[in-house]
Amino acid sequence: MVLLNGPPGIGKSRLVQALCERLHGTPHTRLLYQCSPYHTNSAFYPIVTQMTRAMHVPLDAIPCVKLDQLEALLAQADLPVEESTPLFATMLSIPSEDRYAPLPVSAQRQKERTLELYAQGLVNLARQEPVLVFFEDVHWIDPTSLEALSCVINRVQDARVLIVLTHRPEFASPWGGHSHVRTYTLTRLSRRQTAVLIAQVTGGKGLPAAVLGQIVDKTDGIPLFVEELTKHVLESGWLVERGESYTLTGALPPLAIPATLQDSLMARLDRLAPVKNVVQLGASIGREFSYRVLRAIAPLSDVALQEALAQLLQAELISQRGSGPETTYSFKHALIQDAAYQSLLRSTRQQCHQQIAQVLETQFPETVANQPELVAHHYTEAGLEA
């Protein structure tokens, strides 16, 4: 188990991405869990989200279809289906009484057995092929998922499992006494490393010395700021590509290069004016948002919305998972979501949250049933009572 510790923008998620790229083509099972600031008190939230994704069924699917997929998922992990299905169905809020008898044990024992089976499932998967587990933003983890992680750590020491956790400095790891747990604190890049990263973003093409110097000075070794500020400069129109380098089209305007990461992100968003409303709506929904929910609140046609999302993907502000109506998008970094969200006026933000909450209640009752705290969050941000 490896814990990557560092402040926002220091490169934790980028290291995770690099590891995935390095393992491309290597047989392994990859499991991704994303913690959320909106679900710090939602039991098993990242585990529920991951399992729901792995089942490949829409939220509004009927219970028997969900149970079929859940049974298949548990069988794949070589778990006892008869025992484990009702336990995980309870965790996933899937009605199972028509297929399974009520469990003759206390709620506490049900939770304990669910944790044991979850950990055993990872060990069983590792017997088939190596397992890579990512838990992102563990500083937002809910207490029950933290228990599940502790249970896993006690079981995987001799298994072919690598667990990578990313977290900010405020998270205090409870696993310091385990010999198979390592913590790495990420620090700022040196000036030389910053220059190397800038060259990667520019594709190896050199920047004018004055521009390069300002980027190095202003980003202060924060990788996300380096990437975003370099992209800002490349998209600004101040440079022209000549062979293996860029040259200025004229004198560098005063205050042309933003001094903070927030300013840099805002400048990039402002240049995406035709689609800025879409990224703001997405940011209001959350770090991750579905096409179906976005489509329900965006005042655009399907074609226009898809074109806007394509521009955001090309700008590398968001990433995409899945296809068609079930597509899910996520912001490349929480700081990008924050920048887009903060660019909205307070009154507009409240209107967005009210619209999102009402759409969830009227068009996505399954989400309301499974994540009532999410609807409550939007009503709270709207200044209303749920």
Side-chain angles (χ1 to χ4, degrees), residues 61-295:
I62 58 177
C64 65
V65 172
K66 292 183 178 180
L67 282 177
D68 289 342
Q69 292 299 100
L70 177 58
E71 289 171 349
L73 192 65
L74 298 173
Q76 181 182 348
D78 200 22
L79 291 174
V81 173
E82 288 294 321
E83 178 192 10
S84 60
T85 301
L87 288 169
F88 284 97
T90 299
M91 186 178 78
L92 296 168
S93 300
I94 302 174
S96 62
E97 293 78 9
D98 292 343
R99 191 175 301 187
Y100 295 95
L103 297 166
V105 293
S106 67
Q108 177 61 28
R109 180 54 191 153
Q110 286 186 40
K111 187 185 85 166
E112 292 170 354
R113 186 58 180 149
T114 302
L115 295 177
E116 293 168 359
L117 288 167
Y118 170 69
Q120 185 59 49
L122 288 181
V123 173
N124 293 347
L125 287 172
R127 294 193 182 110
Q128 302 168 25
E129 63 180 7
V131 176
L132 179 60
V133 179
F134 290 120
F135 258 88
E136 293 233 48
D137 297 324
V138 177
H139 46 278
W140 291 322
I141 197 169
D142 64 274
T144 315
S145 295
L146 189 62
E147 282 186 65
L149 263 179
S150 295
C151 189
V152 167
I153 290 166
N154 290 327
R155 297 287 299 273
V156 300
Q157 184 167 2
D158 299 318
R160 297 188 299 171
V161 177
L162 172 61
I163 305 171
V164 180
L165 279 66
T166 67
H167 66 87
R168 296 178 184 176
E170 59 263 31
F171 175 74
S173 167
W175 309 297
H178 293 270
S179 61
H180 57 296
V181 176
R182 297 285 185 273
T183 298
Y184 295 95
T185 299
L186 304 186
T187 58
R188 297 171 187 262
L189 301 177
S190 67
R191 293 181 69 86
R192 183 187 63 80
Q193 291 169 331
T194 299
V196 170
L197 182 54
I198 292 170
Q200 290 178 352
V201 177
T202 64
K205 297 182 185 298
L207 294 176
V211 175
L212 179 63
Q214 285 202 45
I215 295 176
V216 172
D217 290 339
K218 291 185 176 182
T219 55
D220 199 21
I222 300 174
L224 180 64
F225 194 6
V226 175
E227 287 188 333
E228 293 302 320
L229 191 52
T230 305
K231 290 174 183 175
H232 164 74
V233 169
L234 294 178
E235 295 169 357
S236 65
W238 308 321
L239 302 175
V240 61
E241 190 175 343
R242 298 190 187 281
E244 295 301 313
S245 63
Y246 289 94
T247 60
L248 284 165
T249 56
L252 191 64
L255 305 177
I257 298 183
T260 68
L261 176 56
Q262 179 78 8
D263 290 342
S264 175
L265 290 169
M266 285 304 305
R268 292 197 69 208
L269 290 172
D270 288 341
R271 277 199 300 276
L272 292 169
V275 299
K276 186 176 179 180
N277 179 245
V278 173
V279 75
Q280 289 171 326
L281 288 175
S284 300
I285 297 171
R287 171 80 183 272
E288 186 175 278
F289 55 94
S290 72
Y291 180 81
R292 295 171 68 197
V293 173
L294 182 64
R295 177 68 189 91

